[in-house]
Amino acid sequence: MSKPWNIVASILVVQLLACAGGGEGGPEGPSGEMRLSVEGLTTQLLDRLVVTAQPANVSQALTYSATTDSFEGTLVLPEGAQTLTAEGFVDDGAGTPVLSATGSATVNVVAGVTVGVFLGLQDVTPPAPQPDIAPFIRSSTSGSVNIPPLTLTAFSVDVIDLDADPITYQWTSNCATSVFTRPNASYTEWYNTVPGTCRIEVRATARGQTVSRSTSVNVYSLTPTTGEVDVEGTYTPRPRVSAIHAQGQGLPLQRFLREDAVTRFPIVGPNRTFQVDVFVDYGTSRGTRTATLELVSGVACGTLVRGADTCAASPTPTSCSVRYTWTTPMPTALCKLTARATNGTLADAFTVGTMVDWVP
C-alpha cells in the first residue's frame, strides 16, 4: 500500500491564457496555456517530475527552480475536462529513473480563467524491511563437568528467536580429541579421549545473527574433588509500545493500537495544545527502562512537554504510561510522533502521524 508523500502536499497552480488554435502537434480548437508549479518537492526528494494531461495527450517534464524551491513548467491544453497525472522519479544510482511518487487530479480548462488545482502525490516505493531481532539464549544446561576420559556428559541449550527464524546449532571444543554425538542439535553428548581441561561452546544462528555460550569441562585421570553449583538466571523480554492516544482542541480522543493498520489521525490546527499518552508493556519489572515521545519531521513540528509518568512508580510496574503535552507549530507541517521504549539494550518504537493546517 502506498503512503502519502512525506514532505508537503503539492499544489498545481493553473494559469489559462487565451491563445490561438493549436499549431502542428498542438491541441485543436480553443485552448489555454497551463503554467504548473509543484511546491515543496526539492531535487533531494525527486530527480525528475513529469505531468501528463489526458485526453489532450500532452506531457511536460517540470524544471526545478532553486529560487522558488518548486518544480515549474508550462502546458498548452484545449478547453474542457483534462486529467492531470504527475509522476516523480529518482535515479537508482546507475542512471536508471525509478518511479517513486504518483498523483492525479481533474481540471476543467476555460480560456482566460485561472484555476487552482490540489494534487496530492503518493509515495509508491515499498517500505523498508523490518530489521532482524537477534535470537536469545534463554538457558543452558550441562551434565557433570568433572569426568574421566571416554565418559559421556550431556549439554543442551534453549534458544528462542522472536522473528520465528529457523535456528541452527554448532557445538565445538578446543580439545582436538573431543567427540560430540550430535554437533548440530540443541542437545548433544560429549566425551574426550584423554585428560585435560576442555572448553565447550555452542553457537546458535538465526538469519545470520549468532549468539553463543560456553563452559569448561575437566577430564581427569584421578578422582577429583567435586562440588555443586547453584545457578540462577533471569529472562528480560523486549519492551513493546502497545498504544498511543491523542486528544485536544478540536480533536476527539484518537486511540491507536500497535496492531492497527492505519496510524494517522485527522488534520489538526496550528498553535493548539494536545494530550498524547504513550502506553508501554515491559513484561517484567527487571532492567533499566525508559519510555519517551519525540517529534520526527523534516520541518519544525512544535514542542513536547513531559507530564505524568507511571513508568517511574515504585515498585516498577510491568505496564505503564507516560503523558506528554504537544503544542503544534505553524501550518503545512507533516508531523510524526514516535514513542520509544527501552529495557537495557532492548528497544521498540511506534509512530503515529498527522498534518498541521488551518481547520475549522
Side-chain angles (χ1 to χ4, degrees):
M1 179 181 294
S2 62
K3 61 177 183 290
W5 192 255
N6 61 358
I7 297 301
V8 297
S10 306
I11 303 298
L12 299 184
V13 178
V14 181
Q15 175 107 31
L16 301 177
L17 305 177
C19 63
E24 182 179 357
E28 298 182 357
S31 62
E33 179 184 24
M34 176 177 290
R35 296 176 182 174
L36 307 177
S37 174
V38 182
E39 301 175 352
L41 297 177
T42 68
T43 53
Q44 296 177 347
L45 300 173
L46 295 178
D47 298 315
R48 187 165 178 259
L49 186 62
V50 178
V51 176
T52 301
Q54 294 291 355
N57 196 27
V58 176
S59 183
Q60 174 70 45
L62 275 60
T63 302
Y64 174 71
S65 169
T67 302
T68 61
D69 190 24
S70 65
F71 283 85
E72 301 173 351
T74 300
L75 293 176
V76 176
L77 301 176
E79 284 189 311
Q82 297 288 336
T83 298
L84 307 179
T85 301
E87 294 182 312
F89 299 87
V90 296
D91 193 309
D92 66 353
T96 302
V98 177
L99 180 66
S100 63
T102 63
S104 65
T106 299
V107 62
N108 190 35
V109 178
V110 181
V113 178
T114 299
V115 182
V117 182
F118 178 83
L119 179 65
L121 291 181
Q122 294 283 327
D123 186 348
V124 297
T125 56
Q130 166 68 38
D132 183 40
I133 301 175
F136 295 94
I137 294 181
R138 292 198 290 190
S139 64
S140 62
T141 62
S142 62
S144 176
V145 293
N146 287 284
I147 56 175
L150 301 173
T151 300
L152 286 170
T153 188
F155 299 93
S156 67
V157 63
D158 182 11
V159 181
I160 185 172
D161 187 273
L162 298 181
D163 296 323
D165 297 322
I167 302 171
T168 60
Y169 303 87
Q170 181 64 57
W171 293 90
T172 59
S173 169
N174 64 342
C175 291
T177 55
S178 292
V179 175
F180 290 94
T181 59
R182 303 174 66 194
N184 303 116
S186 61
Y187 170 86
T188 188
E189 292 181 305
W190 172 90
Y191 68 91
N192 198 39
T193 59
V194 297
T197 299
C198 298
R199 186 170 185 81
I200 310 300
E201 182 180 57
V202 61
R203 295 172 62 85
T205 302
R207 207 198 306 182
Q209 303 293 325
T210 299
V211 290
S212 64
R213 186 160 294 183
S214 61
T215 189
S216 294
V217 178
N218 178 39
V219 181
Y220 60 88
S221 57
L222 300 174
T223 303
T225 301
T226 62
E228 295 182 353
V229 176
D230 186 8
V231 179
E232 294 183 358
T234 62
Y235 168 65
T236 302
R238 184 176 299 277
R240 183 175 185 269
V241 181
S242 59
I244 295 177
H245 292 180
Q247 61 182 322
Q249 295 173 278
L251 182 71
L253 178 60
Q254 306 289 308
R255 293 185 175 94
F256 300 100
L257 302 179
R258 188 57 178 272
E259 55 269 22
D260 287 346
V262 177
T263 56
R264 176 180 62 81
F265 54 91
I267 296 174
V268 296
N271 197 28
R272 295 187 182 183
T273 300
F274 299 92
Q275 175 183 305
V276 182
D277 293 290
V278 176
F279 298 86
V280 183
D281 293 330
Y282 286 98
T284 177
S285 59
R286 297 182 294 272
T288 302
R289 310 183 311 180
T290 65
T292 60
L293 182 68
E294 63 187 54
L295 292 165
V296 181
S297 178
V299 296
C301 267
T303 59
L304 285 172
V305 177
R306 190 181 179 99
D309 180 1
T310 66
C311 297
S314 181
T316 54
T318 58
S319 296
C320 57
S321 65
V322 181
R323 175 165 295 175
Y324 280 82
T325 299
W326 175 38
T327 302
T328 58
M330 293 303 291
T332 69
L334 289 175
C335 293
K336 294 193 295 184
L337 290 84
T338 298
R340 301 187 186 279
T342 65
N343 193 358
T345 60
L346 302 175
D348 188 35
F350 180 36
T351 299
V352 299
T354 187
M355 180 176 180
V356 180
D357 206 345
W358 297 112
V359 294

